[in-house]
């Protein structure tokens, strides 16, 4: 039997058919085309599922379940997307609507949690029981697996490590608080930090890297400057690593996972990012005297993690 995973994003709907070995054997894709009514988007999800199943050369009867990873908050019991601001979804009964198209069980989960489940089972985690995934993108996403289960909390809104405060009364965060980990360790934060350093150092190599335009600064600019031996760029990276490692140390102190993986755009830096993070964590972790320690590594599945994780959803 096969399972279907849906990665619902603000730009694209991507569907994958996943086999018993956690491999995606076929994909289909459609534009989300926001903003538009939720019913239209869910209809396109149904059509995209059908496209993927056809591409896999199987029948719908061969599909065991359909899992959907969505931005925002989800009520898994009711099968409802309670709120997703970038989709303009508010109290959308997704399972009820999609059940008009399919007889298979339909499961819903937050997209970051799906990505964590995919990495835990089929990627960096190697099917460990306790796992944390951190995604460094526009924000800081996180998914937490404890004893093989996603940590959801009492209201399916748990696991938001990005909105734990690491600097009291610090930088404003999009969530409304100040000093959140996301406000210091997201790609958005790194761009802000890089631009500030460039403005303070007109001779920095980062100006050349960005074609002398602050609008061209991205999450790679400081790392590229560091590789060229630029002191200002090195200072930006050092500060960014300190904030990132502080949040990772918090996650390890709380959950003590077997593996913690780092993904997303900034996570693609790999060892130049993770090696100094590990040094910080080794000094700061509460479990310093324990024989077994969390392995910190890069995510490996990329965009497929959310699809595989969604396909693995069950009761």
């Amino acid at each position: 039997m096969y399972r279907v995973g849906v990665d619902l994003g603000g730009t694209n709907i991507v569907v994958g058919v996943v086999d018993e070995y956690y491999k995606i054997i076929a994909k289909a894709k459609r534009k989300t085309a926001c903003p538009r009514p939720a019913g239209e988007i869910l209809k396109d999800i149904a059509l995209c599922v059908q496209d993927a199943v056809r591409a896999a050369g199987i029948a719908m009867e061969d599909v065991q379940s359909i899992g959907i990873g969505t931005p925002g908050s989800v009520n898994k019991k009711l099968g409802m997307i309670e709120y997703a601001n970038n989709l303009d979804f508010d109290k959308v009964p997704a399972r009820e609507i999609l059940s008009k198209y399919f007889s298979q069980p339909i499961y819903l989960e937050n997209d970051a949690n799906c990505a964590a489940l995919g990495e835990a089972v089929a990627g960096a985690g190697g099917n460990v029981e306790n796992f944390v995934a951190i995604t460094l993108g526009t924000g800081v996403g996180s998914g937490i697996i404890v004893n093989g289960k996603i940590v959801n909390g009492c209201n399916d809104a748990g696991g938001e490590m990005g909105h734990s405060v690491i600097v009291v009364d610090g930088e404003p965060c999009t969530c409304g608080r100040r000093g959140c980990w996301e406000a210091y360790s997201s790609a958005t934060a790194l761009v802000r930090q890089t631009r500030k350093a460039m403005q303070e150092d007109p001779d920095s190599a980062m100006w050349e890297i960005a074609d002398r335009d602050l609008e061209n600064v991205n999450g790679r600019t400081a790392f590229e400057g560091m590789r060229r031996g630029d002191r200002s760029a090195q200072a930006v990276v050092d500060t960014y690593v300190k904030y990132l490692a502080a949040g990772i140390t918090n996650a390890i102190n709380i959950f003590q996972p077997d593996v913690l993986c780092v993904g997303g755009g900034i996570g693609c830096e790999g060892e130049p990012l993770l090696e100094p993070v590990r040094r910080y964590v080794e000094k700061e972790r509460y479990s310093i005297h324990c024989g077994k320690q969390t392995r910190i590594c890069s995510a490996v599945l990329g965009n497929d993690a959310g699809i595989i994780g969604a396909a693995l959803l069950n009761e």
Side-chain angles (χ1 to χ4, degrees):
M1 292 292 284
Y2 301 90
R3 297 173 182 264
V4 168
V6 179
D7 185 2
L8 172 59
T11 304
N12 294 306
I13 300 162
V14 185
V15 176
V17 178
V18 178
D19 68 15
E20 59 187 309
Y21 303 106
Y22 316 127
K23 302 296 183 184
I24 298 175
I25 63 169
K27 282 185 182 179
K29 181 177 176 180
R30 291 181 178 234
K31 291 292 184 183
T32 313
C34 293
R36 57 178 174 145
E40 293 182 10
I41 293 175
L42 290 166
K43 180 180 179 180
D44 270 354
I45 288 176
L47 294 173
C48 202
V49 168
Q50 293 165 359
D51 291 343
V53 169
R54 278 194 298 270
I58 62 175
M60 280 305 306
E61 291 74 20
D62 299 318
V63 173
Q64 181 176 341
S65 62
I66 299 169
I68 301 168
T70 176
S73 56
V74 174
N75 185 318
K76 297 198 296 184
K77 184 177 181 180
L78 297 179
M80 178 180 292
I81 302 172
E82 293 198 321
Y83 181 68
N85 64 302
N86 63 340
L87 297 173
D88 198 25
F89 280 11
D90 187 9
K91 298 288 191 297
V92 174
R95 179 187 296 151
E96 178 184 333
I97 293 171
L98 289 171
S99 292
K100 298 173 183 177
Y101 299 94
F102 304 111
S103 60
Q104 287 84 357
I106 297 169
Y107 305 109
L108 277 79
E109 181 58 85
N110 171 267
D111 53 359
N113 289 341
C114 286
L117 182 60
E119 284 285 354
V121 174
N127 211 15
V128 296
E129 287 287 294
N130 301 290
F131 182 84
V132 172
I134 304 297
T135 304
L136 306 175
T138 304
V140 172
S142 60
I144 299 156
I145 313 293
V146 174
N147 295 330
K149 301 292 185 181
I150 295 170
V151 172
N152 290 115
C154 66
N155 52 8
D156 294 327
E160 291 287 350
M161 290 295 301
H163 297 292
S164 57
V165 169
I166 62 170
V167 179
V168 175
D169 296 328
E171 295 286 347
C173 182
T174 56
C175 75
R177 300 184 79 188
R178 300 187 72 94
C180 287
W181 188 25
E182 178 171 299
Y184 291 87
S185 296
S186 63
T188 307
L190 179 55
V191 167
R192 184 188 71 245
Q193 295 156 9
T194 303
R195 287 173 175 165
K196 182 175 184 292
M198 290 169 63
Q199 289 170 321
E200 293 173 351
D201 182 2
D203 297 322
S204 170
M206 293 186 288
W207 282 104
E208 180 184 347
I209 294 165
D211 294 327
R212 311 207 67 80
D213 187 347
L214 289 175
E215 292 302 313
N216 292 332
V217 172
N218 57 40
R220 299 184 299 274
T221 304
F223 283 92
E224 180 58 32
M226 176 188 70
R227 283 187 278 271
R228 295 189 188 186
D230 183 75
R231 291 184 179 181
S232 293
Q234 182 68 64
V236 170
V237 172
D238 289 346
T239 300
Y240 178 79
V241 164
K242 179 181 71 174
Y243 288 130
L244 177 61
I248 286 176
T249 304
N250 289 345
I252 290 173
N253 284 350
I254 295 168
F255 297 105
Q256 296 297 337
D258 297 283
V259 178
L260 182 147
C261 82
V262 179
I266 307 300
C268 292
E269 287 293 333
E271 285 305 302
L273 173 69
L274 295 184
E275 194 273 333
V277 164
R278 291 191 196 100
R279 289 202 307 267
Y280 181 102
V281 172
E282 285 169 6
K283 292 187 298 182
E284 299 289 331
R285 64 193 174 197
Y286 183 75
S287 58
I288 191 168
H289 298 296
C290 294
K292 184 176 181 179
Q293 299 291 347
T294 298
R295 178 168 64 89
I296 301 171
C297 63
S298 295
V300 299
L301 294 179
N303 293 332
D304 287 346
I307 295 172
I308 295 170
L312 294 174
L313 296 175
N314 55 42
E315 295 289 359

